[in-house]
Amino acid sequence: MAGLKIAIIGAGSVGFTKKLMTDIVSVPELRDVEFALTDVSEHNLSMIQQILDKIVEANNLPTRITATTNRRQALEGANYIISCVRVGGLEAYADDIRIPLKYGVDQCVGDTICAGGIMYGQRNIPAILDFCKDIREVAAPGAVFLNYANPMAMNTWAAIEYGKVNTIGLCHGVQHGGEQIATVLGAKPGELDFICSGINHQTWFIDVRLNGRKVGKDELLAAFEAHPVYSRQEKVRIDVLKRFGVYSTESNGHLSEYLPWYRKRPDEIERWIDMSEWIHGETGGYLRYSTESRNWFETDFPRFVEEAGKPLDHSKRSTEHASHILEALETGRVYRGHFNVKNNGVITNLPDDAIIESPGFVDRFGLNMAAGITLPEACAATCLASINVQRMSVHAAVTGDLDLLKLSVLHDPLVGAICSPDEVWQMVDEMVVAQAKWLPQFAHVIDDAKARLAKSTVKTRDWQGAARRDVRTVDVVRAESARKRALELDESARPSL
């Protein structure tokens, strides 16, 4: 497709950008294209450009790689724009986790809803709208915006409702959940089919078929409970499967923070998490992991460059949706996947304005969603609670309405299970003040928030108790995690009596 231009915003995410590019050029028709990379970090841009240039040279590809910190220049004439940005980086993310923890709000990831995810949206949405303005003004007519950045639903909602750009939100939770189901059922490649629908990070496997035979709740539950690893790591997901009758796409730690039942008391949290890996529920787990590995691409850069000089194995194309969507739109080869779009009646028992994640088909005519899906009532109720939070959060981010932002946090399921209204009002003031430099829409309320904090009589609680719940003490968390793993290994090595 000579003349095609693919812009990647946040291309300094070295590993992910490399994956996107190698996936796309695995399609023969998508090799004669330009990848226009843009990022705020010249250093990261330089690294990823070196890697991609070497891949192009080693594989004798007609692909062109350009890189610039001038986003508008990168987007000029682009047919596809892919975003994988995190506004504020780890500095802001630390406050998303640390400040709510003072008020008892214990998050594992904090990037979707809950206090951290809501604030993440307040930082990202102004940037998303800037991207959309550039797309409308300088990108190719009919350009498609593919958003990988979290909070997925909020970013996509803002881009569609306020940015007025053709946007599809993309995630890989459905693929990973499907892989787990295939594992516990012993399914071989091609034997498992499913319909998975809901909202991003709360998507539900509402119809599972093994070789065409419907797999019911009892069979799936028994398979997960019998699995030697998942039965320990996915306690929340298995409990939800037991009560709701369907399996969720999201990891144990992710799912536990979207619901009001599993992380509301410190003693309860211990029952539901597994410390073998951060994703299974560790307090501030993703923050710790991200902090410890923040410069992994620096240390691995020589290896990346060395590997870039080897021939690509196009059979190892990943399951990330982006390359498959581009292939379908440009060649007409049909692709079935799960996409984040405005509902507009696709799921019958969720609001039309909500951003859903549900099955669809892509071909030359665009994205066509499979309509008429009805979620089980408990799944719909859980999704609705998050949708109402997302709607208020998006509108607050666009308007700079601090009261609406506080109301969105107040209505968050986990926050509402823990905090009083006074605590929520103070917590949001504290977060807005701490993150003011990334929140231009709230500049007019920062001084008043500081004044309220100076006079506040609301006391934060020593809620977390044990040092492992202080996300600032990552060494303690790591040490305890290692100790638990060592004990488990020791137990498994003992002869049975």
Side-chain angles (χ1 to χ4, degrees):
M1 300 294 172
L4 207 64
K5 184 176 181 180
I6 302 164
I8 302 179
I9 307 174
S13 302
V14 174
F16 192 63
T17 299
K18 176 177 175 286
K19 179 190 291 187
L20 289 175
M21 181 268 192
T22 54
D23 278 353
I24 291 169
V25 299
S26 71
V27 182
E29 295 91 342
L30 299 179
R31 290 173 187 165
D32 189 7
V33 302
E34 176 187 350
F35 286 92
L37 313 178
T38 185
D39 198 282
V40 295
S41 168
E42 288 189 28
H43 177 60
N44 285 23
L45 268 182
S46 173
M47 286 197 298
I48 187 60
Q49 183 170 19
Q50 289 178 62
I51 292 167
L52 299 194
D53 278 340
K54 191 159 186 178
I55 290 172
V56 168
E57 180 183 0
N59 291 273
N60 195 28
L61 296 171
T63 313
R64 298 166 300 285
I65 310 296
T66 60
T68 177
T69 56
N70 184 327
R71 184 184 69 237
R72 195 173 174 90
Q73 180 181 324
L75 268 56
E76 187 171 357
N79 306 94
Y80 299 98
I81 300 92
I82 303 174
S83 172
C84 41
V85 300
R86 175 185 282 279
V87 176
L90 287 176
E91 182 184 351
Y93 181 35
D95 285 329
D96 289 344
I97 303 300
R98 178 183 60 82
I99 293 173
L101 199 56
K102 292 167 55 180
Y103 296 83
V105 181
D106 185 306
Q107 302 165 99
C108 172
V109 184
D111 70 352
T112 300
I113 58 167
C114 209
I118 292 169
M119 289 306 301
Y120 190 8
Q122 305 308 298
R123 299 192 302 274
N124 265 27
I125 286 172
I128 291 287
L129 296 183
D130 283 345
F131 302 165
C132 289
K133 180 176 182 293
D134 286 347
I135 293 169
R136 292 195 310 269
E137 293 177 355
V138 303
V144 178
F145 181 35
L146 302 177
N147 175 62
Y148 269 106
N150 284 319
M152 174 60 62
M154 294 185 209
N155 288 343
T156 305
W157 198 320
I160 293 173
E161 181 172 330
Y162 292 100
K164 306 301 181 184
V165 165
N166 181 11
T167 304
I168 305 172
L170 303 177
C171 188
H172 44 234
V174 174
Q175 296 98 300
H176 292 173
E179 289 164 4
Q180 283 192 336
I181 293 174
T183 297
V184 301
L185 294 178
K188 297 174 183 175
E191 292 184 340
L192 185 73
D193 292 304
F194 51 78
I195 294 175
C196 193
S197 190
I199 63 173
N200 181 241
H201 291 176
Q202 290 177 45
T203 324
W204 309 91
F205 292 92
I206 59 176
D207 194 342
V208 177
R209 309 282 176 114
L210 182 61
N211 289 318
R213 177 182 62 81
K214 189 174 178 66
V215 177
K217 165 195 168 182
D218 292 341
E219 180 180 354
L220 192 57
L221 178 61
F224 271 101
E225 289 183 328
H227 194 273
V229 177
Y230 297 150
S231 60
R232 291 186 297 105
Q233 294 179 340
E234 306 290 3
K235 297 171 190 173
V236 171
R237 291 168 94 174
I238 291 171
D239 193 64
V240 170
L241 168 60
K242 186 183 300 181
R243 300 177 193 278
F244 283 36
V246 291
Y247 197 60
S248 166
T249 52
E250 289 318 300
S251 66
N252 203 69
H254 249 331
L255 183 59
S256 69
E257 64 190 6
Y258 309 143
L259 304 170
W261 312 305
Y262 299 100
R263 302 187 77 93
K264 63 195 292 181
R265 294 191 297 270
D267 58 326
E268 279 290 299
I269 295 172
E270 296 289 349
R271 288 182 55 201
W272 296 109
I273 70 172
D274 177 83
M275 290 290 285
S276 60
E277 291 179 77
W278 67 265
I279 201 168
H280 306 310
E282 176 189 320
T283 299
Y286 190 52
L287 173 62
R288 177 183 66 79
Y289 171 81
S290 300
T291 302
E292 292 173 357
S293 59
R294 67 187 306 169
N295 293 320
W296 66 270
F297 48 82
E298 298 273 6
T299 55
D300 285 1
F301 181 65
R303 179 177 61 81
F304 267 131
V305 173
E306 180 183 353
E307 290 177 353
K310 299 175 182 177
L312 289 174
D313 182 354
H314 297 304
S315 68
K316 293 186 177 179
R317 183 180 180 185
S318 82
T319 58
E320 293 292 347
H321 294 300
S323 69
H324 299 277
I325 292 173
L326 269 62
E327 179 183 10
L329 290 171
E330 295 298 326
T331 72
R333 291 193 283 269
V334 178
Y335 173 61
R336 178 183 186 269
H338 293 77
F339 311 105
N340 288 267
V341 296
K342 191 173 283 291
N343 186 22
N344 289 331
V346 170
I347 300 177
T348 63
N349 51 348
L350 292 184
D352 281 351
D353 65 335
I355 300 300
I356 58 163
E357 186 169 78
S358 203
F361 299 83
V362 189
D363 57 21
R364 284 194 189 277
F365 296 98
L367 171 57
N368 309 279
M369 299 297 289
I373 293 174
T374 300
L375 297 179
E377 289 189 60
C379 299
T382 299
C383 288
L384 280 166
S386 293
I387 289 166
N388 290 331
V389 170
Q390 291 164 351
R391 183 187 294 108
M392 285 189 283
S393 300
V394 170
H395 295 165
V398 171
T399 62
D401 186 334
L402 185 61
D403 288 336
L404 187 57
L405 174 59
K406 290 176 177 178
L407 286 167
S408 70
V409 177
L410 182 69
H411 282 84
D412 178 83
L414 183 57
V415 173
I418 296 167
C419 293
S420 71
D422 284 344
E423 290 169 331
V424 170
W425 257 236
Q426 179 172 301
M427 178 173 67
V428 174
D429 275 345
E430 190 172 348
M431 295 181 81
V432 168
V433 168
Q435 301 183 12
K437 63 183 174 181
W438 301 290
L439 301 171
Q441 72 274 46
F442 292 106
H444 63 291
V445 298
I446 297 300
D447 287 343
D448 288 344
K450 288 179 179 178
R452 285 191 296 271
L453 289 171
K455 296 186 295 185
S456 175
T457 59
V458 176
K459 302 294 183 183
T460 57
R461 294 166 282 179
D462 183 21
W463 181 273
Q464 308 310 318
R468 64 163 292 277
R469 299 217 177 278
D470 184 347
V471 296
R472 291 164 293 183
T473 316
V474 295
D475 288 338
V476 175
V477 179
R478 185 167 54 244
E480 178 150 341
S481 179
R483 181 183 64 81
K484 289 191 175 185
R485 284 197 296 271
L487 288 173
E488 288 170 0
L489 290 170
D490 183 58
E491 280 293 323
S492 65
R494 294 180 184 177
S496 56
L497 300 176

